[in-house]
Amino acid sequence: MIIYKIPLSSHKFQYISGKFQIWNISKIPQTKFPENFRKSSRPQFTNCPTMIVMVGLPARGKTYISKKLTRYLNWIGVPTQVFNLGQYRREVLQTYKNYEFFRPDNEEAMKIRRAYASNALKDIASYFTKEQGQVAVLDATNTTRERRGVIINFAKEKGYKVFFIESVCDDPEIIEANTMQVKLSSPDYENYDKEEALVDFLKRIDCYKMSYVPLDEEKDRHLSFIKIFNVGSRYLVNRVQDHIQSRIVYYLMNIHVTPRSIYLSRHGESELNLLGRIGGDTGLSSQGQKYAKALAEFIRGQSIKDLKVWTSHMKRTIQTAEALGVPYEQWKALNEIDAGVCEEMTYEEIQATHPEEFALRDQDKYRYRYPKGESYEDLVHRLEPVIMELERQENVLVICHQAVMRCLLAYFLDKSEDDLPYLKCPLHTVLKLTPLAYGCKVESFYLNIQAVNTHRDRPTDMSICFHLRLSRSANTKVGSKSLRPHVFFFLLKTFNVMI
Amino acid sequence: MTNCPTLIVTVGLPARGKTYISKKLTRYLNWIDVPTKEFNVGQYRRECVKIYKSFEFFRPDNEEGLKIRKQCALAALNDVRQFLTDEGGQVAVFDATNTTRERRETILRFAEQNGFKVFFVESVCEDPDVIAENIVQVKLGCPDYTHCNTEDAVADFMKRIKCYENSYQPLDEELDRDLSFIKIIDVGRRYLVNRVQDHIQSRIVYYLMNIHITPRSIYLCRHGESDLNIKGRIGGDSGLSARGKEFAKALGQFIQSQNIRDLKVWTSQMKRTIQTAEALGVPYEQWKALNEIDAGVCEELMYEEIQQKYPLEFALRDQDKYRYRYPKGESYEDLVQRLEPVIMELERQENVLVICHQAVMRCLLAYFLDKTAEELPYLKCALHTVLKLTPMAYGCKVESVCLNVDAVNTHRDRPSVRFTNTHPLSMSVSLVLVKQASPIINLRTLCSSFTTQFGKPGCNVMFIALHVVDNKKINILYPYSTIKINLFKSTS
């Protein structure tokens, strides 16, 4: 196990706020930072772990909200995980017989349910302490004050914050739609036919109704919670404690369940694309212009109701949108990632003129920031208002760029930071995303206009016994003086890493 | 952001913070570039009834009083209509008690007639301490009570509140379920939000849910003097000079002497702010959003160099410093958009010290002091000076503390020669006599500056160089150059 320390005084190796890890493949624990690094940090969303506790009868959208919220929080960089008690029950029971399990007078079942609920709480504690999670979503009915009391005591003991999300709905149409969409296809009802399943599920809901105590404005006035009525027509928000809870409330108040589709596409092939150069602000090539016309025909063919069209401020997306002949909005936030000093260079030129930068980028493409430019992480931060507005809107066509499209796609398809920079977003292809059940259906339409390929795969030969993770910013601080950077790269070269 | 104008209507008994919320919201919306104006019916009443006698005016059985009050409300609504339809406004805040369902119906009918969306903001508060504090802070100093002493004023005001209480019909979850509103209960402890219609209402709700009235102070300052500052160059990412480091120490001492409770320190991700914060010896958070404005191709140049290399850009920037975007860089307008999450978080926080840069500090200051887009780029933010902002009554108290460490001056005043907006198609012919001795390069620069300062968008300007010989003969040389004037938005 070899550990190398890089001289922090070198202008090439600068640190972002205290996040500095050296590890080998077997993931050794973090090394100690110099004293002064512990002081600086990223903007803090919250200073202690938060438990989000769902409350509500079955088929009220709790799992839908849990999954969506988790996806959003992970995308903006807050490690979050869902703990679904239904999963725990399925692991314990193996097979589901019928609604009798949920009857309030079924003593044996009650014992089992309390047992796996406390297992879930133990798993949450271990997620926070061992896996450095920041937010845990407890997805269960939690309909009684007694159960919520148990959770609050648990959190108080451990020093976690608790935020309740209650979904209240009495519109029978919505409940039926929910039931049809997600409940009948759940593992519980594999051996049932549709009508029997529906009957059983409705009896299940009745079991909970009798003992349901909703969160109360007066009695629960010391708790932090949001009550969502009828899928968002009304909200009651009580005692928001910190930044992350405020963001969660804002997010929940912007999502909706109206059916719609989001179309993502890149601009048509540009002149710099043809030359194999990144960035810049050129117009469309002739193939690109053909694509713009084909895109217009495709959109007309889809007969979309009230379509909004969004582009960036760069020529190539604007020219693509112009061909559609409909009004479009320009967002500066949708501009392509700023490649700083590497703008308008080919990958070979970058490798020749900035070899260390090129290697660093392949080490950690998500966090790597071009000198005087941006990183994918900065892009995600920049795109957050776009995502919020996409959640509010209905049918939208977004004409953007490769890196930007990867970030948006990662949000909708729940891709991790490692996968995000390598998602395939080829030119002249439209992706149609339709929210469905708990996820997103993707349909890819290649519009049959030839274009160059701008995709670079993840480099495969990282055959080296340690993996160095560096980040950069304009930070500076003195640190230990040790081996110089070019020795490090010499070693990388001898171990045949792509440089 | 919104396709039809929005009318925000406040609802609530007196001394519940309606005017505070109206003014704050108006300030925020104007800062994020949504033209907003507030219409306070109390003002209209004061103009109508010149002298305020006593609470009797507000008694529900005072017929004449009711007539005048209704008239004032209608006059205000008329002005609202003018602002939203003729003057290009997007949001109007109608600040009055609006405590009866009947009055709210009138407003809803008015809005429907004119095609405005309505959003109600109700403030409900029963905490006597909060109400007393409100009265002391803002009511006693208002023009109604200039002739009273404190106790009489408080007694009169309490009776005024009583006049409204009997007929008060709060917004109701059931009866008003088709209206769009937010009910703020106990200064933000609880909120009830109903039927948010569009993006701007969603932003308003988010903003209202993040503001608070806990007393606190915000400290704004720039990084210490940097190496590039000394050279007179803009942008870049250099470290502190010797005097800058002295400032960082002085700042540390100043902060300690202020004895601030739970102070948070924020910096940007550039070396000079980080080095300044390091000297404080306390934990700090780095925000990329606080980075200095990106000067694009003009990074690390001196103003004189920019004038030489990019004379057109230089002149364009002086024309409209707020909207001008450096080629491959940013504008103040982009900065404001970038800083919006910072402002939102500043509203949530309590005591904060923000160590940032000149352009960024100007944007933040403009938000707190309600400066317009024209004034924003010329606000004075000197090096080595800390501004302490304390929210007070309806505005912000500013204390400027200069830490007595010398530094260069990086401020550029608004240029005195301004472009006057005349009809683009009119032609003007001016004769410029240039001495023969002038070198050609200055001539070119002169022509560019002349064009941008006196030319008009969309027309051609042709220069003819005249060669004066012996004060008698004038040779006309070839037409010097033809410069096409673009629109004043910089498009690279």
Side-chain angles (χ1 to χ4, degrees):
Chain A
M1 182 173 84
I2 312 168
I3 302 176
Y4 280 95
K5 290 188 233 166
I6 304 298
L8 307 170
S9 51
S10 158
H11 71 95
K12 292 204 180 90
F13 298 92
Q14 295 157 333
Y15 293 83
I16 257 181
S17 36
K19 277 234 175 115
F20 169 51
Q21 295 169 335
I22 304 181
W23 55 22
N24 67 6
I25 299 174
S26 60
K27 284 233 175 111
I28 60 174
Q30 293 184 0
T31 55
K32 265 196 169 250
F33 312 158
E35 227 339 291
N36 32 29
F37 277 132
R38 285 200 214 98
K39 286 202 219 100
S40 78
S41 66
R42 274 271 151 84
Q44 302 287 289
F45 285 164
T46 179
N47 40 14
C48 68
T50 306
M51 273 181 66
I52 298 181
V53 182
M54 305 299 301
V55 179
L57 294 173
R60 260 53 174 185
K62 297 184 302 298
T63 306
Y64 176 78
I65 291 172
S66 309
K67 291 196 180 216
K68 212 170 156 75
L69 189 59
T70 305
R71 182 162 52 90
Y72 170 70
L73 290 174
N74 277 316
W75 188 73
I76 62 170
V78 180
T80 310
Q81 195 177 319
V82 181
F83 296 83
N84 180 302
L85 280 200
Q87 287 291 95
Y88 281 80
R89 171 181 46 82
R90 279 181 275 271
E91 269 164 45
V92 168
L93 285 191
Q94 303 296 330
T95 45
Y96 171 76
K97 284 206 207 81
N98 59 22
Y99 78 96
E100 302 268 339
F101 182 79
F102 293 99
R103 286 177 55 158
D105 51 2
N106 186 340
E107 280 297 328
E108 211 190 289
M110 276 296 181
K111 250 173 54 180
I112 301 177
R113 288 162 77 188
R114 258 178 250 141
Y116 64 68
S118 76
N119 280 344
L121 289 180
K122 283 202 204 96
D123 285 349
I124 288 177
S126 120
Y127 174 65
F128 284 146
T129 39
K130 302 206 186 103
E131 295 177 49
Q132 266 116 25
Q134 266 193 292
V135 177
V137 184
L138 182 60
D139 177 16
T141 50
N142 298 317
T143 41
T144 57
R145 190 155 277 136
E146 179 228 332
R147 166 55 54 84
R148 297 197 287 268
V150 167
I151 298 172
I152 294 169
N153 287 337
F154 166 79
K156 210 190 272 190
E157 239 182 279
K158 305 273 185 174
Y160 306 149
K161 288 188 181 161
V162 182
F163 187 71
F164 292 94
I165 299 178
E166 180 171 15
S167 174
V168 177
C169 181
D170 39 26
D171 183 343
E173 280 181 26
I174 299 179
I175 298 170
E176 199 186 306
N178 279 359
T179 314
M180 301 304 281
Q181 258 212 6
V182 289
K183 294 299 175 186
L184 302 187
S185 51
S186 99
D188 290 341
Y189 293 112
E190 264 175 340
N191 304 321
Y192 281 66
D193 75 4
K194 282 253 169 79
E195 278 129 32
E196 285 179 5
L198 190 58
V199 167
D200 186 273
F201 190 71
L202 290 174
K203 290 216 189 92
R204 211 157 109 177
I205 299 182
D206 285 335
C207 294
Y208 282 96
K209 265 197 191 157
M210 292 181 277
S211 53
Y212 180 27
V213 181
L215 286 168
D216 187 68
E217 273 185 51
E218 280 310 310
K219 301 209 187 93
D220 295 308
R221 83 179 89 92
H222 298 296
L223 301 181
S224 297
F225 65 83
I226 176 173
K227 250 168 120 77
I228 307 174
F229 294 89
N230 286 331
V231 204
S233 73
R234 201 173 0 131
Y235 303 91
L236 178 65
V237 182
N238 198 57
R239 285 192 186 268
V240 171
Q241 295 170 325
D242 60 10
H243 178 102
I244 192 71
Q245 289 181 16
S246 164
R247 289 285 281 277
I248 289 169
V249 165
Y250 184 40
Y251 182 71
L252 291 175
M253 287 173 58
N254 279 320
I255 57 180
H256 67 79
V257 292
T258 319
R260 47 85 168 250
S261 288
I262 298 171
Y263 297 79
L264 296 181
S265 149
R266 286 172 68 184
H267 52 82
E269 186 191 64
S270 72
E271 286 157 26
L272 279 184
N273 284 142
L274 276 177
L275 299 170
R277 294 177 177 280
I278 66 173
D281 190 13
T282 49
L284 296 178
S285 66
S286 60
Q287 291 291 99
Q289 278 159 10
K290 278 197 212 144
Y291 171 70
K293 292 199 197 81
L295 182 64
E297 266 184 56
F298 170 75
I299 293 296
R300 268 192 293 269
Q302 292 272 306
S303 300
I304 309 159
K305 186 174 81 90
D306 292 334
L307 180 71
K308 289 230 158 89
V309 179
W310 294 356
T311 70
S312 70
H313 274 194
M314 300 186 133
K315 278 193 213 130
R316 44 201 194 275
T317 51
I318 294 173
Q319 284 178 2
T320 313
E322 280 288 328
L324 301 174
V326 293
Y328 57 91
E329 290 172 36
Q330 296 182 18
W331 289 69
K332 189 168 194 274
L334 287 172
N335 277 7
E336 180 61 315
I337 190 172
D338 184 359
V341 296
C342 303
E343 278 279 323
E344 301 196 30
M345 295 169 78
T346 62
Y347 285 118
E348 291 79 21
E349 282 172 12
I350 302 175
Q351 198 166 8
T353 50
H354 304 90
E356 296 97 356
E357 299 298 330
F358 197 72
L360 277 172
R361 186 155 205 253
D362 283 335
Q363 295 285 357
D364 189 353
K365 199 169 174 190
Y366 183 73
R367 259 169 259 280
Y368 169 79
R369 191 185 280 167
Y370 282 109
K372 300 196 173 171
E374 293 176 305
S375 61
Y376 272 95
E377 197 172 17
D378 297 328
L379 250 195
V380 159
H381 188 80
R382 204 210 306 155
L383 285 169
E384 203 261 335
V386 178
I387 287 291
M388 198 63 92
E389 192 53 25
L390 270 174
E391 287 292 347
R392 285 196 58 80
Q393 293 292 341
E394 296 183 15
N395 291 317
V396 186
L397 164 64
V398 184
I399 303 175
C400 53
H401 307 263
Q402 182 168 256
V404 170
M405 189 163 159
R406 283 174 170 156
C407 292
L408 297 178
L409 210 53
Y411 167 75
F412 287 109
L413 304 182
D414 201 17
K415 298 292 183 187
S416 68
E417 291 173 0
D418 291 320
D419 295 332
L420 191 161
Y422 297 103
L423 292 174
K424 280 207 161 65
C425 297
L427 283 166
H428 299 187
T429 308
V430 182
L431 290 180
K432 175 177 176 179
L433 303 164
T434 317
L436 200 68
Y438 294 142
C440 227
K441 180 173 82 168
V442 192
E443 290 163 77
S444 170
F445 297 92
Y446 174 58
L447 297 189
N448 260 325
I449 312 267
Q450 281 282 10
V452 296
N453 176 21
T454 55
H455 186 81
R456 270 191 80 238
D457 268 316
R458 191 194 299 266
T460 45
D461 45 353
M462 283 281 154
S463 54
I464 190 167
C465 61
F466 65 92
H467 182 162
L468 192 75
R469 207 153 165 239
L470 296 173
S471 321
R472 56 178 36 249
S473 77
N475 195 347
T476 175
K477 232 342 182 158
V478 294
S480 51
K481 300 178 178 39
S482 324
L483 298 170
R484 308 192 127 271
H486 37 267
V487 174
F488 158 63
F489 281 105
F490 170 72
L491 285 162
L492 281 183
K493 280 189 187 130
T494 57
F495 288 123
N496 252 336
V497 174
M498 180 168 83
I499 286 251
Chain B
M1 222 188 264
T2 174
N3 33 19
C4 69
T6 307
L7 177 59
I8 299 179
V9 182
T10 60
V11 179
L13 293 173
R16 261 53 176 187
K18 299 183 300 296
T19 306
Y20 175 80
I21 291 174
S22 309
K23 289 195 185 239
K24 215 168 152 82
L25 192 56
T26 306
R27 180 162 55 92
Y28 170 70
L29 289 172
N30 277 317
W31 188 74
I32 60 168
D33 228 3
V34 178
T36 309
K37 196 165 167 198
E38 44 140 0
F39 297 85
N40 180 303
V41 176
Q43 286 289 94
Y44 285 79
R45 194 244 317 143
R46 276 185 273 275
E47 272 162 44
C48 189
V49 182
K50 298 294 173 189
I51 306 170
Y52 173 74
K53 289 210 201 71
S54 76
F55 77 95
E56 304 267 340
F57 180 79
F58 292 98
R59 283 179 57 163
D61 51 3
N62 183 341
E63 287 288 338
E64 209 191 297
L66 282 174
K67 233 175 71 178
I68 298 178
R69 284 157 73 192
K70 186 135 197 241
Q71 262 177 11
C72 293
L74 290 175
L77 282 180
N78 219 5
D79 286 351
V80 163
R81 187 214 343 235
Q82 203 185 348
F83 175 67
L84 292 180
T85 33
D86 303 329
E87 295 173 30
Q90 263 192 293
V91 177
V93 184
F94 187 70
D95 178 17
T97 51
N98 299 316
T99 40
T100 56
R101 195 151 275 135
E102 180 222 332
R103 169 58 55 83
R104 298 197 288 264
E105 275 297 311
T106 315
I107 300 173
L108 284 168
R109 273 197 303 270
F110 162 82
E112 210 183 301
Q113 272 174 356
N114 290 289
F116 305 149
K117 287 187 184 167
V118 180
F119 188 71
F120 291 95
V121 176
E122 179 172 17
S123 174
V124 177
C125 181
E126 294 312 319
D127 184 345
D129 292 330
V130 174
I131 298 169
E133 179 64 30
N134 279 357
I135 297 177
V136 168
Q137 264 215 5
V138 289
K139 295 298 177 189
L140 301 185
C142 99
D144 290 343
Y145 293 112
T146 41
H147 57 282
C148 285
N149 68 16
T150 314
E151 279 136 28
D152 291 341
V154 173
D156 185 274
F157 196 78
M158 293 303 239
K159 291 201 194 111
R160 207 156 112 177
I161 298 181
K162 275 263 166 327
C163 295
Y164 283 94
E165 262 175 16
N166 293 331
S167 54
Y168 182 26
Q169 293 165 308
L171 288 168
D172 186 69
E173 276 183 42
E174 285 307 309
L175 297 169
D176 297 308
R177 84 178 86 89
D178 292 322
L179 300 180
S180 298
F181 66 84
I182 176 171
K183 233 170 155 38
I184 305 173
I185 300 158
D186 287 337
V187 202
R189 185 109 331 136
R190 212 184 326 148
Y191 304 92
L192 180 65
V193 181
N194 197 58
R195 290 198 183 268
V196 172
Q197 292 170 324
D198 59 12
H199 177 101
I200 191 72
Q201 289 180 17
S202 164
R203 290 285 282 277
I204 290 168
V205 166
Y206 185 39
Y207 182 70
L208 292 175
M209 288 175 59
N210 279 321
I211 59 180
H212 67 81
I213 55 168
T214 317
R216 50 83 170 250
S217 290
I218 297 171
Y219 297 79
L220 294 181
C221 84
R222 287 171 67 187
H223 52 84
E225 186 190 59
S226 72
D227 291 323
L228 281 181
N229 282 144
I230 297 183
K231 296 192 193 134
R233 292 177 180 280
I234 67 171
D237 191 14
S238 53
L240 295 179
S241 68
R243 297 196 292 200
K245 292 191 187 132
E246 237 187 275
F247 167 71
K249 286 199 203 86
L251 184 65
Q253 282 166 2
F254 170 73
I255 292 297
Q256 283 211 347
S257 71
Q258 289 274 305
N259 271 330
I260 310 158
R261 194 175 72 94
D262 290 333
L263 180 72
K264 289 231 158 88
V265 179
W266 293 356
T267 70
S268 70
Q269 285 185 355
M270 301 189 130
K271 279 194 213 137
R272 44 200 193 278
T273 52
I274 292 174
Q275 284 178 359
T276 313
E278 279 288 329
L280 300 175
V282 294
Y284 58 92
E285 292 174 26
Q286 295 180 19
W287 290 70
K288 186 168 197 271
L290 287 171
N291 278 8
E292 180 61 316
I293 191 171
D294 185 358
V297 296
C298 302
E299 277 280 321
E300 303 198 31
L301 295 181
M302 297 195 278
Y303 285 118
E304 294 76 24
E305 287 174 6
I306 303 177
Q307 194 166 14
Q308 260 182 13
K309 280 174 81 168
Y310 307 97
L312 203 61
E313 298 295 332
F314 193 72
L316 280 172
R317 187 159 204 249
D318 283 336
Q319 293 291 352
D320 189 355
K321 200 169 172 187
Y322 183 73
R323 262 166 257 279
Y324 170 79
R325 191 185 282 164
Y326 281 109
K328 300 197 175 173
E330 293 177 301
S331 60
Y332 273 95
E333 198 174 13
D334 298 329
L335 250 193
V336 160
Q337 221 192 29
R338 208 214 295 160
L339 285 170
E340 202 262 337
V342 177
I343 287 291
M344 198 61 91
E345 191 55 21
L346 270 175
E347 287 292 347
R348 286 197 56 80
Q349 293 292 340
E350 296 186 14
N351 292 317
V352 186
L353 164 65
V354 184
I355 304 174
C356 53
H357 307 263
Q358 183 168 257
V360 170
M361 189 162 158
R362 284 174 170 158
C363 292
L364 297 178
L365 210 54
Y367 167 73
F368 287 108
L369 305 181
D370 202 14
K371 299 291 183 188
T372 61
E374 278 72 42
E375 299 168 298
L376 191 163
Y378 296 102
L379 291 174
K380 282 210 162 68
C381 295
L383 279 170
H384 298 187
T385 309
V386 181
L387 290 180
K388 176 177 175 181
L389 302 164
T390 315
M392 188 126 248
Y394 293 143
C396 227
K397 179 173 85 166
V398 191
E399 292 163 69
S400 171
V401 184
C402 175
L403 293 190
N404 270 325
V405 180
D406 282 330
V408 296
N409 176 22
T410 54
H411 186 81
R412 268 192 80 238
D413 268 317
R414 191 192 299 267
S416 43
V417 182
R418 297 288 309 282
F419 170 63
T420 49
N421 214 352
T422 53
H423 195 285
L425 290 182
S426 67
M427 292 223 299
S428 68
V429 178
S430 302
L431 209 59
V432 178
L433 289 175
V434 176
K435 278 177 141 173
Q436 184 201 1
S438 318
I440 296 291
I441 190 161
N442 277 351
L443 206 59
R444 202 178 271 277
T445 314
L446 182 71
C447 292
S448 308
S449 318
F450 174 89
T451 312
T452 44
Q453 288 189 349
F454 299 104
K456 291 154 196 69
C459 69
N460 292 323
V461 175
M462 194 156 76
F463 290 88
I464 301 171
L466 306 175
H467 183 188
V468 180
V469 175
D470 293 338
N471 275 345
K472 286 177 221 152
K473 246 170 91 179
I474 300 179
N475 283 339
I476 299 180
L477 305 173
Y478 290 108
Y480 190 75
S481 63
T482 311
I483 301 176
K484 178 128 192 185
I485 302 177
N486 296 316
L487 296 168
F488 282 93
K489 284 238 156 102
S490 169
T491 50
S492 340

